[in-house]
């Protein structure tokens, strides 16, 4: 009979293999790949931001190819309607009855591509699905599959034709990961792969295969739930989040939901590193991706060059780290 420790070890090995498998298609961006794996461990959603052409969609497609999970992609456009995402009630002329037709949200991994290209009305169609993991229509709630994770890509908000995400929806993303332009070495590696015949539209030809699935994720989540968190770590998380609420450059600081998100990814990070306890350094490592999208910087401060990451850097430097 397989023990829980063996299950957890096998699950960790599978997720480490998942990271290597994604690397067959995506050069660099190890931090973003690790962030996506942490979100899988926490059953959380991810917002992936970067300028066009830095392989945001390719990264998610590679992750999907390396996972034995049902995956659906939706291209968010200005004319996309809420029913195009969640599903709708349709009339069947043969039976003379109305029935529910499932939308693409009924999947395990939903790739919401360029989510900020669609107006807030359609963006908000994902609110219930992301929080309650269900869709309510015509007075009936319909549960979504388990696991259910949304990975949304977006272009920076200052780009033409984008709509800022509502604060309530931003807060439902566990992490906001940024994908910068690649370094010179990574860009040479990208072009070298293409020169050797790599086709981003054919990941199977690149050798990508599924190396983890629902059983490994379930075992991993069970192990993450057993990671010990001391009172000093919890206190540090609370102190960091509370410090964001009193800064003059911030209109809205990190909510308690943000504190629980930071704690969750801290435990997942510790487990993925092979430990059964979390440390304050784990908290520091995850503070920016877990909290940057939960800060609302005042417009006048933004004009002076203040950013959410800059605010977090200041908070991390000022709040004492427990030892």
């Amino acid at each position: 009979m397989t023990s829980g420790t063996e299950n957890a070890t096998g699950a960790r090995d599978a997720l480490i293999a998942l990271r290597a498998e994604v690397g067959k298609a995506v050069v660099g961006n190890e931090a973003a790949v690790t962030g996506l794996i942490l979100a899988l461990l926490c059953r959380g959603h991810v917002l992936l931001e970067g300028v066009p052409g830095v392989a945001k969609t390719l990264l998610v497609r590679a992750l999907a190819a390396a996972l034995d999970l049902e995956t659906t992609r939706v291209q968010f456009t200005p004319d996309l309607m809420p029913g195009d995402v969640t599903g709708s009630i349709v009339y069947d002329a043969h039976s003379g009855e109305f029935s529910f037709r499932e939308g693409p949200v009924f999947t395990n991994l939903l790739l919401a591509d360029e989510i900020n290209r669609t107006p807030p009305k359609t963006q908000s169609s994902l609110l219930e699905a992301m929080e309650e993991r269900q869709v309510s229509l015509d007075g009936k709630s319909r549960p979504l599959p388990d696991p259910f994770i949304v990975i949304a890509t977006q272009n920076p908000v200052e780009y033409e034709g984008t709509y800022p995400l509502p604060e309530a929806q931003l807060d439902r993303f566990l992490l906001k990961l940024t994908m910068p332009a690649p370094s010179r070495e990574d860009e040479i590696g990208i072009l070298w792969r293409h020169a050797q015949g790599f086709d981003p539209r054919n990941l199977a030809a690149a050798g990508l295969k599924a190396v983890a699935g629902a059983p490994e994720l379930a075992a991993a989540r069970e192990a993450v739930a057993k990671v010990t968190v001391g009172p000093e770590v919890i206190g540090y998380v609370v102190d960091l989040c509370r410090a964001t609420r009193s800064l003059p450059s911030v209109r809205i600081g990190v909510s308690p939901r943000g504190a629980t998100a930071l704690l969750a990814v801290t435990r997942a990070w510790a487990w993925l590193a092979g430990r059964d306890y979390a440390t304050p350094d784990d908290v520091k490592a995850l503070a920016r991706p877990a909290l940057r999208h939960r800060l609302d910087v005042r417009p006048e401060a933004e004009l002076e060059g203040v950013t959410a990451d800059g605010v977090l850097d200041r908070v991390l430097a000022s709040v004492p780290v427990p030892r």
Side-chain angles (χ1 to χ4, degrees):
M1 186 173 180
T2 305
S3 68
T5 302
E6 290 174 341
N7 283 337
T9 302
R12 185 185 292 112
D13 291 343
L15 291 173
I16 292 173
L18 176 65
R19 186 160 47 188
E21 201 70 15
V22 172
K24 292 179 180 179
V26 180
V27 177
N29 287 305
E30 288 82 3
V33 176
T34 300
L36 292 175
I37 293 174
L38 293 176
L40 289 169
L41 291 172
C42 299
R43 299 177 75 236
H45 312 292
V46 176
L47 185 61
L48 202 57
E49 183 179 274
V51 298
V54 292
K56 299 186 299 294
T57 303
L58 176 62
L59 172 59
V60 182
R61 287 180 54 239
L63 179 74
L67 283 169
D68 186 18
L69 297 175
E70 182 181 348
T71 307
T72 306
R73 176 181 178 272
V74 178
Q75 180 66 50
F76 279 69
T77 57
D79 60 348
L80 194 72
M81 299 298 291
D84 297 330
V85 179
T86 60
S88 56
I89 303 295
V90 297
Y91 178 72
D92 188 338
H94 294 289
S95 64
E97 297 178 351
F98 288 93
S99 61
F100 176 70
R101 179 178 294 169
E102 292 184 350
V105 76
F106 285 85
T107 187
N108 295 127
L109 195 159
L110 177 68
L111 168 54
D113 216 359
E114 295 188 302
I115 191 172
N116 60 339
R117 291 285 185 193
T118 198
K121 178 181 179 180
T122 304
Q123 293 174 4
S124 298
S125 66
L126 284 172
L127 284 175
E128 182 187 15
M130 294 173 69
E131 181 65 18
E132 307 295 335
R133 287 177 161 76
Q134 66 179 24
V135 170
S136 297
L137 196 64
D138 197 31
K140 183 178 179 181
S141 297
R142 297 168 174 85
L144 295 171
D146 184 35
F148 169 71
I149 297 169
V150 175
I151 302 178
T153 70
Q154 73 167 10
N155 297 314
V157 293
E158 63 269 15
Y159 270 57
E160 186 177 352
T162 60
Y163 300 84
L165 293 176
E167 287 84 354
Q169 184 163 21
L170 280 172
D171 205 34
R172 281 165 169 77
F173 284 102
L174 178 74
L175 300 172
K176 179 182 178 181
L177 306 175
T178 57
M179 291 186 64
S183 66
R184 182 177 184 274
E185 291 73 17
D186 285 344
E187 195 162 0
I188 288 174
I190 292 168
L191 266 63
W192 178 255
R193 287 192 181 187
H194 280 264
Q196 299 300 308
F198 172 70
D199 182 358
R201 291 171 291 275
N202 187 1
L203 295 180
L208 265 78
K209 61 183 185 298
V211 295
E216 288 80 15
L217 288 179
R221 288 168 183 160
E222 186 178 335
V224 168
K226 297 176 182 176
V227 171
T228 303
V229 183
E232 73 283 354
V233 174
I234 292 178
Y236 185 47
V237 170
V238 170
D239 290 344
L240 286 176
C241 295
R242 291 180 65 86
T244 66
R245 303 170 196 164
S246 57
L247 296 174
S249 59
V250 176
R251 188 172 70 88
I252 300 176
V254 176
S255 68
R257 190 204 304 248
T260 60
L262 177 55
L263 182 61
V265 294
T266 295
R267 298 174 81 183
W269 172 273
W271 177 82
L272 198 60
R275 287 182 277 109
D276 61 358
Y277 61 92
T279 69
D281 287 336
D282 296 330
V283 177
K284 290 185 71 173
L286 275 302
R288 293 175 188 83
L291 304 181
R292 59 167 57 109
H293 54 298
R294 306 175 195 274
L295 289 174
D296 188 357
V297 178
R298 294 185 183 278
E300 58 270 26
E302 285 186 331
L303 290 174
E304 296 174 359
V306 176
T307 63
D309 277 13
V311 169
L312 290 172
D313 288 342
R314 194 181 319 155
V315 168
L316 288 167
S318 62
V319 174
V321 181
R323 295 299 179 190

